[in-house]
Amino acid sequence: MKIPQNWRRFVVVGTAVALFLITLFVYVQTLSPTINSFDSAELITGAYTMGIIHAPGYPLYLLLAHAATQWPGTTPAYAVNFLSALFGAGTAVFLFLTSWRLTHSLLASLLATLLAAFSRLFWSQSVIAEVYTLNTFLISAWSLAVVSIYQQPQRKYWLWLGLLVGLSVTHHPSTVLLLPGLLPLLIHRLPRSRTLLLAAGLALLPFLLFLYLPWRSLADPALNYVSWYFSVDLTMPGGVLWMMTGRMFATELFGRPWAATLREVVVLVQQIWLNLFGAGLLLAFYGLYTLRREPVLVWFWGLGTAFTLFFFAAYNVIDHTDMILPALVLLVPPLAYGLQQLGQDLLARWPALAHNAFVGQGLLLFSVGFLLLAVNWSYADRSRDWSAYQLAGYILATVEPDALIITQWTKATPLQYMQIVEGQRLDVEILDRGLLALGIRDAYLRQGEAAARVYNNAIVAHLQQIIQEQLPHRPIYITEEDPILDLIACYKPIQTGLYRITCAKTLDN
């Protein structure tokens, strides 16, 4: 779509604003009204209390989300969910602007951005409280800075890039995987030493955000996973470093064998393939291929995508497929370039297409947008999803006074939200069996004992001790059938999702 030079800036800015409003509108229509399981409820409770959550602590996110919880006229859960939508829409704007700077094609930039913004993976993470859209917001801005430096190596772009690198790494340390892709840029566009030092200083400045950890640890917030489950002092430098580097999940990092990791790489590539409808991934590869005359950009996007996919393929956690959003975001500018090159190839082969290009481009843009909404809406829509909230409410309403609930992360976080944020059933104690296991394992690893059998036995023994000591004095419930608890306890179902422990067993039984 050709735009007159004097109108270009106006049209691009106007399109970016319209894109932001449209994506935000769609996200809000499908936004979760309340808490969800896994990290979502934990992040909302952590933001509300300015608490200490799982590694690496996410101080930037918690500070921003805490500010969101102070918005009048809404619940903390809805406000933090809405923050994800804001960052998702902001990501779309940066992706569009990056693609525009690369291609100067309005159609290619919009199509590539819409494919990502309304993909199942990205859309589903933009409607719940999660750290991922803030991560993509920063990475997409980082990508725009890289293209800007490559095209016009001005000092302001280097300083902007330095700050973005620092904010990205302190928010989600996995973004260090993008740093090797910056080496060709440094070699080809090496700035003056003063500019480089200032950019490095700006990159280090966001690390001050980790002062949040000792500050809030001393304040003893209502949510503090580290003090509850780990023998780590966050007021000391060693404790802060432990948190920053994700030692809480030490054995999950590169926790898959090589063969399993390679198989998982294929699975993650398939996820990208499905999210971009296959053709989108092929066009991104085509874009990288046709960009080979610009190796600085190819290395940045290509290496960043490859390292991200490999790292999370090796990361042995159940929700690692949600963590590959950076790879999806990094592929958008090459996808736009591939679309532009394909359009040029088609016009070169069939010049007659140019006569109705404007109408054809408009129809194509409308058709792709409609198709994305039609296909992915039901998958991403959380606007009527109250399941986690209702289950947590049912459990708290059902258990007897002074009960102990032994549960897993997925159900513990909604229960903690109900208690801490809404003040329900403060007499009930919630024990997250997953975090308890991580804390015991961490203690053994600190002692140099790396044998899984040793700390697995210790986890079972610890749970057995809790049940044997507590059961004579208070009711104990669990929220799922558990093969480990089968060894040490008898229990009966109350209703779906809740069981009452009736007796303690010894391992000899």
Side-chain angles (χ1 to χ4, degrees), residues 142 146 149-150 153 158 161 177-191 292-304 307:
W142 183 349
V146 167
I149 290 170
Y150 183 70
W158 278 109
L161 177 61
L177 300 168
L178 276 62
L179 292 177
L182 291 180
L183 292 177
L185 183 68
L186 282 168
I187 293 169
H188 285 79
R189 297 287 189 268
L190 184 66
R292 63 190 182 278
R293 293 182 295 272
E294 316 286 352
V296 169
L297 300 178
V298 173
W299 278 109
F300 175 69
W301 289 316
L303 274 183
F307 286 172

Side-chain angles (χ1 to χ4, degrees), residues 366-390:
F366 177 81
S367 301
V368 169
F370 179 81
L371 177 66
L372 289 168
L373 294 178
V375 171
N376 292 333
W377 187 290
S378 60
Y379 179 87
D381 186 12
R382 292 291 189 94
S383 60
R384 290 180 290 276
D385 184 2
W386 289 81
S387 57
Y389 184 89
Q390 289 171 343

Side-chain angles (χ1 to χ4, degrees), residues 15-87:
T15 303
V17 171
L19 179 65
F20 177 83
L21 294 175
I22 290 169
T23 51
L24 183 61
F25 176 79
V26 172
Y27 293 159
V28 169
Q29 298 310 303
T30 54
L31 194 71
S32 171
T34 184
I35 55 173
N36 294 273
S37 62
F38 280 95
D39 297 351
S40 177
E42 173 203 354
L43 291 168
I44 296 167
T45 308
Y48 182 78
T49 61
M50 294 185 70
I52 306 293
I53 60 172
H54 69 277
Y58 302 106
L60 175 62
Y61 178 88
L62 290 182
L63 290 169
L64 294 172
H66 179 72
T69 64
Q70 307 307 302
W71 294 343
T74 187
T75 65
Y78 188 89
V80 181
N81 292 339
F82 181 75
L83 194 65
S84 289
L86 278 177
F87 288 130

Side-chain angles (χ1 to χ4, degrees), residues 120-202:
R120 288 190 171 193
L121 180 57
F122 191 90
W123 189 351
S124 66
Q125 297 304 309
S126 297
V127 297
I128 60 173
E130 255 301 353
V131 298
Y132 301 129
T133 57
L134 175 54
N135 193 30
T136 59
F137 177 79
L138 294 170
I139 290 173
S140 59
W142 183 349
S143 194
L144 176 58
V146 167
V147 175
S148 300
I149 290 170
Y150 183 70
Q151 294 178 343
Q152 296 174 302
Q154 299 177 19
R155 185 185 190 192
K156 63 181 179 181
Y157 296 140
W158 278 109
L159 300 183
W160 176 236
L161 177 61
L163 182 60
L164 287 168
V165 167
L167 289 171
S168 296
V169 172
T170 52
H171 170 59
H172 209 289
S174 67
T175 51
V176 299
L177 300 168
L178 276 62
L179 292 177
L182 291 180
L183 292 177
L185 183 68
L186 282 168
I187 293 169
H188 285 79
R189 297 287 189 268
L190 184 66
R192 293 179 179 179
S193 56
R194 181 183 174 125
T195 300
L196 191 59
L197 286 173
L198 283 172
L202 286 172

Side-chain angles (χ1 to χ4, degrees), residues 430-449:
I430 300 161
L431 178 66
D432 188 325
R433 191 172 82 69
L435 285 174
L436 176 70
L438 290 179
I440 293 171
R441 186 183 68 185
D442 181 72
Y444 274 87
L445 291 174
R446 286 170 174 273
Q447 298 167 12
E449 179 57 71

Side-chain angles (χ1 to χ4, degrees), residues 349-368:
R349 183 177 292 270
W350 293 292
L353 292 174
H355 297 305
N356 297 307
F358 184 80
V359 174
Q361 289 173 2
L363 287 173
L364 178 61
L365 191 61
F366 177 81
S367 301
V368 169

Side-chain angles (χ1 to χ4, degrees), residues 259-324:
T261 296
L262 293 176
R263 287 195 298 270
E264 201 63 26
V265 168
V266 176
V267 171
L268 296 184
V269 171
Q270 289 174 337
Q271 287 295 315
I272 300 289
W273 172 274
L274 292 172
N275 274 273
L276 295 178
F277 289 93
L281 183 58
L282 293 177
L283 284 167
F285 286 150
Y286 180 60
L288 288 171
Y289 173 74
T290 52
L291 270 169
R292 63 190 182 278
R293 293 182 295 272
E294 316 286 352
V296 169
L297 300 178
V298 173
W299 278 109
F300 175 69
W301 289 316
L303 274 183
T305 300
F307 286 172
T308 298
L309 291 174
F310 180 81
F311 177 80
F312 287 114
Y315 192 25
N316 192 21
V317 293
I318 60 174
D319 57 343
H320 68 296
T321 53
D322 294 336
M323 301 176 188
I324 62 170

